[in-house]
């Protein structure tokens, strides 16, 4: 058993790598949309249903997986989950029609839903006293995997077509091997973990006033995740179209804007954890949204070169709170590590899926430029962060 204060970096780097591999598998699905449109003659409605299925299954299931494993820890759920994704990738490479694609995506979504809350729990166990840094190492893997979508499209799927997805079954297999090792370590942590002692002791001794304060804080966190997820998806899904329309760039060149934002977002995800360990989680969450707000407001009026710098800054700043909100929620209810991880990360996926549909409809209704201008106000919802209890107050609630 590791010391409670010792950070187990080897485990963190392995689980972070597995997160990168898992989210790379997810990134393959939207990267394949142009390929599938050509090879199977899919309509945009069918493509939308595929994206919705992937995001909703991967998001809605996460809190339920977390709640179940909080009560009955299942270390080997991690390799089993990636096994489901591996099966889904194999089906995706060979699928002859829309329904086969949809079934394959369902398996990929289920694998992701199992992986995320359990992977976050492993990061929590391996964190020692550096929970912000640990969660950042874990989460930056996922953000890096998502950022690989434009590269995957250009290097693998364009030359190889739909069958090119078969190569990603090997990536999934590699992740399964890593996760078998992780599961063995994870199993040694469960019985003696102070987190599980808290979970078994329950929370019946909390008074009603404390319970109301926790509920209020969770509601605020939901709005923060909403603002960040919607704005992130506006940029990652629609800014390429804006760049084509406003700057006259090619489709390939427009992908560069998206890649810059996603890559800098991965950097921000990593930096946010160590900053939170030093300056406090609530302070980093406040900075993440409020510092991004003026940049977001200027963004629709920037030229093609200035936009690159603004996107890079925005990605770093707005995503710096991604891992931090997970740790904040975990410490808000310390006996529910999986549930809180599944809620915050799953909510991000779900909000993103709903946001993509809503923003797409708004673009059809009022146009691309007015929608980008309206979306620029989303980070201002970060003002709600001032309603969150401070890190010190949260520690005092649990005698810390």
């Amino acid at each position: 058993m590791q010391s409670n204060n010792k950070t187990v970096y080897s485990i963190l780097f392995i689980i972070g790598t597995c997160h990168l591999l898992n989210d790379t598998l997810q990134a393959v699905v939207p990267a394949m949309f142009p390929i599938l449109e050509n090879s199977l003659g899919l309509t945009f409605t069918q493509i939308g249903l595929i994206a919705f299925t992937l995001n909703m299954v991967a998001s809605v299931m996460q809190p339920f997986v977390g709640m179940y494993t909080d009560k009955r820890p299942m270390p080997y759920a991690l390799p089993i989950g990636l096994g489901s994704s591996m099966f889904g990738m194999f089906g995706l490479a060979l699928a002859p029609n829309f329904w086969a694609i949809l079934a394959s995506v369902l398996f990929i979504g289920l694998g992701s839903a199992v992986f995320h809350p359990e992977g976050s729990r492993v990061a929590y166990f391996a964190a020692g006293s550096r929970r912000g840094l640990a969660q950042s190492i874990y989460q930056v893997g996922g953000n890096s995997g998502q950022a690989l979508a434009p590269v995957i499209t250009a290097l693998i799927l364009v030359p190889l077509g739909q069958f090119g997805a078969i190569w990603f079954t090997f990536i999934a297999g590699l992740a399964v091997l890593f996760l078998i090792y992780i599961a063995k370590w994870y199993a040694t942590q469960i019985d003696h973990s102070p987190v599980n002692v808290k979970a078994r002791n329950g929370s019946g001794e909390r008074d009603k006033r404390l319970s109301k304060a926790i509920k209020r804080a969770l509601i605020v966190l939901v709005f923060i995740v909403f603002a960040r997820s919607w704005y992130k998806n506006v940029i990652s899904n629609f800014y390429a179209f804006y760049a084509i329309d406003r700057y006259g760039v090619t489709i390939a060149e427009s992908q560069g804007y998206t890649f810059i934002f996603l890559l800098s977002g991965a950097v921000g995800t990593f930096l946010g954890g160590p900053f939170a360990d030093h300056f406090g989680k609530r302070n980093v969450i406040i900075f993440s949204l409020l510092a991004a707000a003026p940049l977001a407001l200027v963004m629709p009026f920037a030229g093609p070169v200035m936009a690159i710098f603004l996107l890079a800054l925005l990605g770093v700043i707005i995503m710096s709170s991604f891992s931090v909100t997970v740790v904040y929620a975990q410490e808000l209810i310390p006996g529910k590590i999986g549930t809180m991880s599944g809620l915050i990360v799953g909510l991000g996926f779900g909000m993103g899926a709903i946001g993509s549909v809503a923003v797409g409809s708004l673009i059809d209704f009022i146009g691309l430029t007015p929608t980008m201008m309206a979306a620029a106000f989303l980070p201002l919802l970060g003002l709600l962060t001032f309603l969150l209890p401070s890190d010190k107050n949260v520690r005092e609630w649990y005698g810390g």
Side-chain angles (χ1 to χ4, degrees):
M1 175 69 189
Q2 300 290 341
S3 168
N4 289 339
N5 293 320
K6 184 177 180 181
T7 305
V8 191
Y9 287 102
S10 59
I11 295 296
L12 289 175
F13 287 126
I14 294 172
I15 197 66
T17 300
C18 290
H19 198 182
L20 183 150
L21 298 177
N22 177 83
D23 282 30
T24 298
L25 299 179
Q26 277 192 268
V28 170
V29 178
M32 284 188 70
F33 286 165
I35 310 296
L36 295 173
E37 183 191 7
N38 289 328
S39 64
L40 299 179
L42 300 185
T43 66
F44 283 106
T45 300
Q46 289 174 321
I47 288 172
L49 284 171
I50 292 169
F52 185 78
T53 299
L54 175 67
N55 284 303
M56 290 308 291
V57 171
S59 62
V60 171
M61 291 294 293
Q62 281 193 44
F64 294 104
V65 171
M67 282 189 283
Y68 184 85
T69 54
D70 279 334
K71 296 176 181 178
R72 301 175 185 85
M74 297 175 62
Y76 286 91
L78 282 165
I80 291 171
L82 259 291
S84 172
S85 295
M86 182 169 64
F87 182 77
M89 289 308 305
F90 184 77
L92 196 62
L94 303 176
N97 54 49
F98 166 70
W99 295 107
I101 291 287
L102 207 62
S104 300
V105 164
L106 185 66
F107 279 102
I108 296 170
L110 285 171
S112 186
V114 171
F115 175 82
H116 280 100
E118 285 300 274
S120 190
R121 191 198 307 275
V122 168
Y124 190 95
F125 283 170
S129 60
R130 308 199 67 183
R131 291 177 183 169
L133 174 62
Q135 197 64 221
S136 283
I137 292 172
Y138 168 66
Q139 296 292 354
V140 76
N143 286 63
S144 301
Q146 294 167 24
L148 288 174
V151 179
I152 290 167
T153 304
L155 298 183
I156 299 176
L157 298 179
V158 169
L160 298 180
Q162 181 182 344
F163 188 72
I166 200 75
W167 288 102
F168 294 95
T169 61
F170 297 107
I171 288 178
L174 180 63
V176 169
L177 293 177
F178 282 146
L179 289 172
I180 290 172
Y181 173 81
I182 288 286
K184 292 177 180 178
W185 178 86
Y186 177 8
T188 67
Q189 307 301 301
I190 292 170
D191 291 336
H192 306 290
S193 169
V195 172
N196 286 300
V197 170
K198 287 180 182 180
R200 286 193 294 266
N201 288 342
S203 56
E205 66 272 10
R206 288 191 206 125
D207 58 33
K208 291 181 180 179
R209 187 169 56 185
L210 178 56
S211 296
K212 287 180 180 179
I214 291 170
K215 288 176 183 176
R216 283 196 299 269
L218 282 175
I219 291 170
V220 172
L221 277 181
V222 166
F223 277 101
I224 291 167
V225 171
F226 158 81
R228 187 184 61 223
S229 298
W230 273 45
Y231 188 73
K232 174 180 177 288
N233 276 271
V234 166
I235 301 298
S236 59
N237 290 340
F238 298 105
Y239 195 82
F241 296 102
Y242 183 77
I244 293 168
D245 182 63
R246 183 173 174 83
Y247 309 137
V249 299
T250 65
I251 293 175
E253 289 169 340
S254 73
Q255 292 299 308
Y257 290 94
T258 304
F259 179 70
I260 288 291
F261 178 74
L262 293 174
L263 184 64
S264 60
V267 173
T269 298
F270 176 75
L271 294 176
F275 282 137
D277 287 336
H278 187 73
F279 296 106
K281 287 170 280 295
R282 179 174 174 267
N283 291 336
V284 170
I285 296 171
I286 291 172
F287 171 80
S288 169
L289 287 158
L290 294 191
L295 298 176
L297 291 169
V298 171
M299 190 73 230
F301 306 100
V305 177
M306 181 60 69
I308 294 172
F309 292 102
L310 286 175
L311 284 169
L313 279 174
L314 269 170
V316 171
I317 292 172
I318 203 161
M319 292 305 292
S320 64
S321 64
F322 185 81
S323 60
V324 179
T325 49
V326 176
V327 178
Y328 186 92
Q330 289 174 340
E331 295 186 354
L332 200 61
I333 307 181
K336 302 292 183 182
I337 302 304
T339 305
M340 291 299 100
S341 302
L343 177 66
I344 298 301
V345 179
L347 191 65
F349 278 119
M351 287 290 188
I354 295 168
S356 295
V357 175
V359 171
S361 299
L362 191 62
I363 290 171
D364 287 336
F365 185 65
I366 66 172
L368 190 56
T369 299
T371 300
M372 297 300 291
M373 291 179 178
F377 289 90
L378 283 169
L380 287 173
L381 286 174
L383 289 167
L384 292 171
T385 310
F386 288 105
L387 300 176
L388 288 175
S390 67
D391 295 29
K392 181 181 177 183
N393 285 343
V394 173
R395 286 194 298 271
E396 288 174 349
W397 289 350
Y398 300 100

